[in-house]
Amino acid sequence: MIMLRNLCKLYPPDTVALDNCTVTIAPGEFVMVIGPSGSGKSTLLRCVNRLISPTSGQVIVNGLDVTAATREQLRQARRGIGMIFQQFNLIKRASVIDNVLAGRLGYAHSIASLFGYFGSDDQAIAQKSLQQVNLLELANRRADTLSGGQQQRVAIARALAQHPKVILADEPTASLDPNLTRVIMDILKEVNSSQGITLMVSQHLIDVALTYGSRLIGLQSGRIVFDGSPLQLTETIIQQIYGEM
Amino acid sequence: MIKQRRTGLRVICFLVVVALYAKFLWDTEVSILKLKRGLPWMADFMVRMFPPDFSVLGSALKGALQTLEIAVVGTTLAALLALPLGFLSARNIAAPGVFYGVRGVLNLFRSIDTMVYALFFVAAVGLGPFPGVLAVVVYTAMSLAKLCSEAIEGIDTGPVEAITATGATRLQILRYGVIPQIIPLFISYILYRLETNIRAAAILGFVGAGGIGFYIQTYLRMMNYRAAACVLLILVIMVMAVDFASSQIRKALI
């Protein structure tokens, strides 16, 4: 469960990235966050695992107050929250399997992992995650030799290797063509329905958001202006979110 | 609005620069005439070097090997020191207090050249290759640390974010998010430093800090130019060999 309470994020001197956002997301929901560029989608997602610390307000994930957590508590909380990014953010020069193993860093023996050593159970989990995105045969390829769609699948495998309860996806398909968009979104949907992982996905394409989301959150200038099912999203509300088109 | 050109100011600046430069030329006694008068002496010097005396080949090779060893040991130890120093002086990693402190120290030590450190260390630990190694380590560690910190400041923050999000510790974030991005660049800097350190270590012998420079200086002082020529020849071959090897390694890295 994710609870965001009165979340505000200010960037001095006068940028308001998030303005009093309050949302509660139940386990297993597939939430699409929509809104124009600069509306605060990325900031909202990054507040959940505190890659960005909110200026005020509270974030509670799986019962832990992330905003008040110690460094160690935050680390443990992050283990349970996978994240994927628009730019994939793989370690380019490392192999595919090593990239997936990075998803185990939060669980691995900290000194051994600094020398690149992971236990056999971590290895097995990484392989299984890679299998889930159908890329096991490319395990030993260097990550930057893969296509964009494949790289994003590796990134999903890395998130899955964390055995997360929640996956945050920040514009996961914005660098991909429509076909690959469907492939990636299908994988996320599958992960959501078969493993019950809660998904919070920002998406600038309305039709994709409508197809995949069980719930939509509309942001505009850092404020939540819509929160409901895809059926409730009317043309007027879309216009309200995106302004005059 | 387009700024108006201030022609008068430009002319004055130009004249000042020209005048200063003329003074520098005067002060340094630069003279084509003197150079011309010196030409026969240079020719004489060259002639006396031929043919090189290969009976001193043994000493030349011994000196060359020691120079190589000083450069390799000095550069690798420096690289080991430079990596942590680089992190501590990277704006995006270190706390501001640490950053300014370490940067300051680096800039201070980097303003003095290897040769000066050699004089210092010869006085401190005595003659031989060891003070040479120390001199190479100090200067190289400082300059590599600076380059390393600049490489760290130029990394893509995406992978760092991604590794942070997995619940990694701070050391794991550096190891998996930062180091893979800087390692090719860092190795190529190390190789460049190795090349320059071979040249630096070649003259460390002039101040008693070991290596081939000792033989160059000794034979020149004894006016045994043919022996000096042999030593110089070996030095040139070694420098070229190291440059070639290092550029091959660098190519393979990219």
Side-chain angles (χ1 to χ4, degrees):
Chain A
M1 177 140 92
I2 303 171
M3 278 199 285
L4 311 177
R5 280 195 200 133
N6 307 107
L7 218 52
C8 293
K9 178 66 188 177
L10 310 175
Y11 289 105
D14 56 2
T15 310
V16 182
L18 292 178
D19 185 359
N20 208 18
C21 295
T22 298
V23 181
T24 301
I25 295 168
E29 279 196 85
F30 195 120
V31 178
M32 304 288 297
V33 181
I34 58 173
S37 300
S39 59
K41 304 189 293 291
S42 290
T43 309
L44 187 73
L45 291 182
R46 278 169 173 71
C47 280
V48 175
N49 60 358
R50 231 180 89 187
L51 284 181
I52 293 176
S53 293
T55 310
S56 65
Q58 225 181 5
V59 179
I60 294 167
V61 184
N62 303 324
L64 177 80
D65 183 348
V66 174
T67 33
T70 63
R71 190 198 297 279
E72 190 53 32
Q73 284 175 325
L74 179 61
R75 222 172 58 69
Q76 304 221 348
R78 280 175 177 159
R79 286 201 317 206
I81 308 171
M83 186 157 192
I84 61 179
F85 304 83
Q86 177 181 347
Q87 299 300 336
F88 325 132
N89 291 351
L90 299 179
I91 308 164
K92 293 189 175 64
R93 301 175 63 87
S95 68
V96 165
I97 190 72
D98 284 348
N99 268 286
V100 181
L101 273 168
R104 298 302 299 167
L105 282 173
Y107 300 90
H109 186 280
S110 60
I111 295 179
S113 72
L114 292 180
F115 293 95
Y117 177 82
F118 289 86
S120 53
D121 40 346
D122 288 331
Q123 307 261 9
I125 291 168
Q127 283 198 9
K128 194 165 162 274
S129 308
L130 204 48
Q131 206 160 25
Q132 269 182 278
V133 297
N134 274 322
L135 280 181
L136 199 52
E137 72 278 10
L138 297 183
N140 295 315
R141 282 267 294 274
R142 231 174 83 152
D144 58 4
T145 64
L146 269 55
S147 70
Q150 289 170 330
Q151 289 195 38
Q152 194 59 297
R153 280 151 68 192
V154 175
I156 294 174
R158 173 172 65 190
L160 290 175
Q162 291 176 234
H163 285 168
K165 291 200 168 65
V166 175
I167 288 182
L168 309 169
D170 186 18
E171 294 281 4
T173 60
S175 312
L176 303 173
D177 68 31
N179 278 327
L180 288 171
T181 297
R182 208 171 313 121
V183 171
I184 295 298
M185 292 307 296
D186 282 342
I187 295 175
L188 294 180
K189 186 81 205 167
E190 159 68 20
V191 161
N192 168 254
S193 51
S194 70
Q195 300 183 48
I197 296 175
T198 311
L199 266 116
M200 216 173 151
V201 183
S202 68
Q203 179 60 261
H204 68 283
L205 297 174
I206 295 262
D207 52 333
V208 176
L210 286 169
T211 314
Y212 290 92
S214 64
R215 175 176 169 191
L216 303 184
I217 290 174
L219 277 177
Q220 203 228 359
S221 311
R223 278 191 308 276
I224 295 177
V225 292
F226 175 81
D227 184 355
S229 76
L231 295 173
Q232 292 169 290
L233 189 74
T234 63
E235 203 58 44
T236 352
I237 297 169
I238 292 176
Q239 261 185 31
Q240 197 189 328
I241 297 173
Y242 285 88
E244 303 306 313
M245 278 192 283
Chain B
M1 200 182 82
I2 299 164
K3 258 191 191 169
Q4 254 190 325
R5 288 184 178 193
R6 288 173 296 184
T7 317
L9 193 69
R10 282 186 171 203
V11 170
I12 292 169
C13 282
F14 179 72
L15 289 177
V16 167
V17 169
V18 168
L20 264 178
Y21 198 78
K23 177 188 158 42
F24 288 0
L25 283 176
W26 178 261
D27 287 351
T28 50
E29 298 169 16
V30 171
S31 149
I32 291 183
L33 233 88
K34 261 191 196 167
L35 182 66
K36 209 182 140 196
R37 277 204 297 268
L39 280 176
W41 298 104
M42 290 187 209
D44 179 57
F45 192 87
M46 301 296 244
V47 169
R48 284 205 228 175
M49 285 174 115
F50 279 92
D53 177 2
F54 285 103
S55 68
V56 297
L57 190 63
S59 320
L61 289 174
K62 207 176 113 197
L65 178 63
Q66 196 173 62
T67 292
L68 182 72
E69 289 166 342
I70 293 172
V72 169
V73 172
T75 309
T76 44
L77 293 181
L80 291 178
L81 285 173
L83 198 61
L85 283 174
F87 277 102
L88 292 176
S89 58
R91 202 182 291 270
N92 52 346
I93 302 279
V98 178
F99 162 77
Y100 284 111
V102 177
R103 263 284 152 104
V105 172
L106 292 188
N107 287 335
L108 187 74
F109 282 95
R110 232 160 30 88
S111 56
I112 300 165
D113 192 61
T114 311
M115 198 66 173
V116 183
Y117 286 118
L119 282 167
F120 171 76
F121 284 119
V122 165
V125 302
L127 296 171
F130 184 49
V133 169
L134 290 176
V136 169
V137 167
V138 173
Y139 182 78
T140 307
M142 300 303 149
S143 63
L144 277 178
K146 180 84 189 293
L147 292 170
C148 181
S149 70
E150 274 161 13
I152 293 169
E153 285 170 359
I155 60 166
D156 173 11
T157 54
V160 177
E161 241 192 342
I163 300 296
T164 309
T166 65
T169 62
R170 280 202 290 185
L171 278 179
Q172 286 173 331
I173 295 167
L174 296 183
R175 162 69 177 78
Y176 287 90
V178 180
I179 289 183
Q181 294 193 58
I182 62 160
I183 219 68
L185 210 55
F186 189 53
I187 290 176
S188 112
Y189 289 150
I190 293 172
L191 290 169
Y192 271 123
R193 282 312 314 180
L194 181 68
E195 290 173 35
T196 42
N197 281 341
I198 292 273
R199 293 177 183 80
I203 54 167
L204 284 174
F206 288 15
V207 296
I212 201 168
F214 170 74
Y215 298 99
I216 298 174
Q217 198 198 27
T218 307
Y219 291 133
L220 284 180
R221 273 208 189 134
M222 290 160 56
M223 290 190 271
N224 187 350
Y225 296 116
R226 291 177 51 207
C230 170
V231 180
L232 284 173
L233 197 65
I234 294 301
L235 174 62
V236 168
I237 292 169
M238 179 180 65
V239 167
M240 284 170 64
V242 170
D243 283 6
F244 177 76
S246 130
S247 74
Q248 290 305 109
I249 298 173
R250 227 178 294 123
K251 247 185 244 161
L253 277 175
I254 300 163

